[in-house]
Amino acid sequence: MKQWFILSLALSGCLASVAQNEIIVQTDSAKTLISKQIYGHFAEHLGRCVYGGFYVGENSKIPNTAGVRNDVVAALKKLKIANLRWPGGCFADTYHWKDGVGPKDKRPTIVNTWWGGVTENNSFGTHDFLNMCELIGTDPYLAGNIGSGTVQELIDWVQYVNFEGESPMSKWRRENGRDKPWNVKFWGVGNEAWGCGGNMRPEYYSDLYRKYATFMSGWSEGNIFRIASGANSADYNWTEVLMKQIPRNMVQGVALHHYSVIDWNKKGPATGFTEEQYFTTMQRALFMDSLVIKHSAIMDKYDPNKRIALVVDEWGGWYDVEPGTNPGFLYQQNTMRDAMIAGVTLNIFHNHADRVRMANLAQTINVLQAVLLTNEEKMILTPTYHVMEMYNVHQDAKLMPLKLKSNAYKVGNRSLPAVSASASRDSLGNTHISLVNIDAGKEQTITVNLKGGKYKTVTGRVLTSGKVQDFNTFEAPEKIKPATFNGAILKGEALTVKLPACSVVVLELK
Ligand code: AHR
């Protein structure tokens, strides 16, 4: 995908209001599918994500189905989350799945050593998770334990959830109340093997991966999609070694983790941040483009036909926890800054849809860049939720390549492209264009050239708020929500759009 940014130089002051932004959309070249799996989420046993977020238990006064909150299920259905990754994260490499099946009062406890040192009672286990995925209508993505588990343990898990015939594991599953297998397709082979997953070197992990992947096959009617634990952000050597050492037929996805964090030692607050801090966060978020390009180029060397997917299975903003909350629970508020991260990141994934075919925002509820926050019986939708909901029109649509020329968003002597965009055509023939203006203070006028497009109408939705620091609260849950957008004018093949400062817009052209 050719995308070029020409930052307008020295155009502040008198020329600031002149439209410099220009997008050319190749409406007749929609070929590559934007996999809906890019719209995946992540549910780790961490803080109040699983316990208190998804799961409150059958006896809770909060309305639930088999212990899972009904309000959460409804919200995630509407969001059309494509897949849900569980049980970690770092937790995955400490998790022993057999402790989480069978009668709940007989399950042993587990101490969550990575996240707050809390003792969990294992009441949310494999059946609970997979049945919940069915309720939400999402594909489960199980992260296997290769850090502290065994090969036998992982292949037993595959057999337990996926094997239809007679076997010790399928028998046990039936005894535990589930006849038919769930046919889980997505399997992670460890998590962050370079860090919390075992502090391995890529050479060692590649061998370990080969061993685990060998024994994971053969227990499922469908194809198992095995995902290798991927690089930490710009660790290109990790991808290089994995691609070189793991045979093509043994791996379907290679992961990548990248968080938009200002500084791991000084993350800054989730709300009340300065414009400098906002700018740095956006710099980190936009760095995803370069990461995807460079990791993909390495993958291209070994897999020119792009058979193996780049799976960005952890991404999002990471800030200091909310004052007074457990530092190990990673609970943070979610502002318009997070909406900007979501908008630009999804545009990047769309524009690289040939290689990025799966991704997971970290995390779904009450942890990091959450789409939902809960407080006892209350639940709110965050600005990130709204962006992902507005954008879901792109799921399984065909990417329309575009060229983008953007004004600069400047803070001090630093500058970033103000505008980000992506476009696609859905199965009904409708075109959607997603636009983000990250400039915290300036509106952007964009000229969109719809090359070869024959459209009669344009409609749209916008997410914006007075300040980039704005957020929804349990007291004011709808301060930020999508509204009808009237800032686009269509004349033949030309579209003029006025994007408010700090906004996300999704247009529909028919
Ligand atoms: O998402 C929180 C943590 O971040 C995950 O457990 C880990 O994989 C990553 O370092």
Side-chain angles (χ1 to χ4, degrees):
M1 157 64 214
K2 280 186 209 131
Q3 193 174 32
W4 37 269
F5 299 109
I6 298 179
L7 305 182
S8 57
L9 299 170
L11 283 173
S12 52
C14 62
L15 290 182
S17 62
V18 175
Q20 298 294 311
N21 307 295
E22 193 184 328
I23 298 175
I24 303 170
V25 184
Q26 309 287 341
T27 64
D28 49 359
S29 308
K31 283 188 203 80
T32 310
L33 197 79
I34 297 174
S35 169
K36 69 171 184 175
Q37 299 301 347
I38 284 171
Y39 288 77
H41 290 259
F42 178 24
E44 180 164 12
H45 286 235
L46 197 178
R48 294 187 301 113
C49 184
V50 169
Y51 293 108
F54 282 98
Y55 185 77
V56 286
E58 290 87 341
N59 299 326
S60 171
K61 62 179 188 328
I62 298 169
N64 67 82
T65 304
V68 176
R69 295 179 69 124
N70 292 344
D71 52 358
V72 163
V73 172
L76 296 180
K77 267 183 158 172
K78 182 163 185 232
L79 198 54
K80 298 193 179 148
I81 69 167
N83 73 77
L84 188 58
R85 181 173 181 245
W86 178 83
C90 295
F91 181 79
D93 281 296
T94 66
Y95 184 65
H96 300 285
W97 71 270
K98 290 180 183 173
D99 294 344
V101 298
K104 296 202 175 186
D105 57 350
K106 300 231 161 39
R107 297 183 190 174
T109 56
I110 176 173
V111 179
N112 194 328
T113 46
W114 286 112
W115 308 116
V118 291
T119 301
E120 302 186 4
N121 64 8
N122 261 315
S123 55
F124 189 85
T126 298
H127 288 249
D128 309 273
F129 174 69
L130 296 177
N131 291 342
M132 180 180 88
C133 287
E134 286 184 342
L135 211 56
I136 297 170
T138 191
D139 289 334
Y141 168 12
L142 293 175
N145 175 354
I146 73 158
S148 69
T150 62
V151 177
Q152 188 62 51
E153 196 178 344
L154 186 51
I155 60 178
D156 279 352
W157 207 13
V158 180
Q159 192 189 131
Y160 187 91
V161 303
N162 278 4
F163 190 55
E164 169 104 60
E166 267 309 304
S167 79
M169 288 301 120
S170 57
K171 184 165 172 278
W172 194 25
R173 181 188 72 230
R174 290 190 174 105
E175 283 163 10
N176 288 331
R178 173 78 184 200
D179 180 22
K180 290 278 169 215
W182 288 277
N183 287 325
V184 176
K185 177 173 177 183
F186 299 114
W187 291 86
V189 183
N191 168 73
E192 296 195 349
W194 41 264
C196 65
N199 283 307
M200 302 175 209
R201 292 168 302 113
E203 292 79 9
Y204 177 78
Y205 172 71
S206 301
D207 278 349
L208 204 60
Y209 176 92
R210 290 162 64 126
K211 181 157 109 174
Y212 273 79
T214 302
F215 294 102
M216 285 168 74
S217 56
W219 293 110
S220 167
E221 286 301 310
N223 296 323
I224 284 193
F225 191 100
R226 292 159 298 187
I227 299 162
S229 169
N232 178 18
S233 208
D235 182 357
Y236 302 112
N237 181 54
W238 185 274
T239 303
E240 180 89 44
V241 174
L242 262 55
M243 291 302 295
K244 196 187 291 177
Q245 297 199 349
I246 301 174
R248 299 296 71 78
N249 62 350
M250 292 188 77
V251 59
Q252 287 69 46
V254 169
L256 167 67
H257 288 182
H258 173 67
Y259 285 98
S260 301
V261 63
I262 293 174
D263 176 337
W264 284 107
N265 298 315
K266 224 173 159 202
K267 301 187 193 79
T271 62
F273 46 85
T274 63
E275 193 171 358
E276 285 281 338
Q277 288 172 316
Y278 166 59
F279 186 94
T280 307
T281 305
M282 293 318 297
Q283 211 167 30
R284 298 295 298 154
L286 287 164
F287 184 56
M288 182 67 86
D289 193 53
S290 162
L291 286 174
V292 166
I293 290 171
K294 290 186 181 160
H295 284 288
S296 299
I298 295 165
M299 293 174 79
D300 285 349
K301 280 203 289 178
Y302 302 92
D303 176 35
N305 296 328
K306 300 186 193 292
R307 220 182 40 77
I308 301 169
L310 181 60
V311 178
V312 189
D313 55 10
E314 285 186 32
W315 66 272
W318 191 323
Y319 321 111
D320 290 339
V321 298
E322 291 306 319
T325 64
N326 187 327
F329 282 12
L330 309 187
Y331 176 72
Q332 62 189 41
Q333 247 297 355
N334 194 289
T335 65
M336 280 303 294
R337 168 171 65 174
D338 297 279
M340 298 294 107
I341 297 175
V344 302
T345 305
L346 291 170
N347 281 342
I348 291 167
F349 292 163
H350 294 167
N351 289 326
H352 297 287
D354 56 344
R355 186 64 89 173
V356 181
R357 299 199 290 270
M358 191 163 168
N360 299 76
L361 174 64
Q363 298 194 8
T364 322
I365 313 175
N366 297 329
V367 170
L368 299 178
Q369 192 175 340
V371 288
L372 304 174
L373 299 177
T374 65
N375 181 6
E376 299 295 335
E377 74 290 351
K378 291 186 183 163
M379 183 198 78
I380 57 172
L381 312 179
T382 65
T384 301
Y385 176 97
H386 292 305
V387 173
M388 296 205 80
E389 186 273 321
M390 289 162 69
Y391 268 53
N392 69 24
V393 289
H394 292 289
Q395 292 189 5
D396 282 345
K398 291 210 172 122
L399 176 73
M400 287 177 167
L402 56 79
K403 288 184 176 177
L404 167 66
K405 177 175 142 189
S406 172
N407 281 347
Y409 166 43
K410 291 185 178 177
V411 172
N413 55 11
R414 300 188 291 166
S415 74
L416 286 171
V419 176
S420 142
S422 69
S424 70
R425 175 177 297 130
D426 69 16
S427 56
L428 302 172
N430 300 325
T431 293
H432 295 101
I433 305 180
S434 303
L435 300 161
V436 186
N437 174 14
I438 67 166
D439 194 313
K442 266 192 224 144
E443 171 188 278
Q444 300 290 335
T445 301
I446 310 171
T447 308
V448 185
N449 179 347
L450 302 158
K451 272 186 104 177
K454 306 261 175 289
Y455 300 104
K456 294 198 178 85
T457 62
V458 59
T459 53
R461 292 167 81 203
V462 60
L463 190 79
T464 189
S465 191
K467 289 190 295 178
V468 66
Q469 291 87 355
D470 285 349
F471 55 95
N472 289 335
T473 63
F474 293 99
E475 293 68 41
E478 298 202 351
K479 180 181 168 72
I480 301 168
K481 62 177 182 184
T484 302
F485 181 66
N486 296 314
I489 298 166
L490 178 67
K491 276 197 192 133
E493 288 188 4
L495 188 62
T496 308
V497 189
K498 279 191 190 310
L499 274 188
C502 183
S503 68
V504 175
V505 165
V506 177
L507 300 174
E508 181 170 78
L509 291 136
K510 292 188 179 188

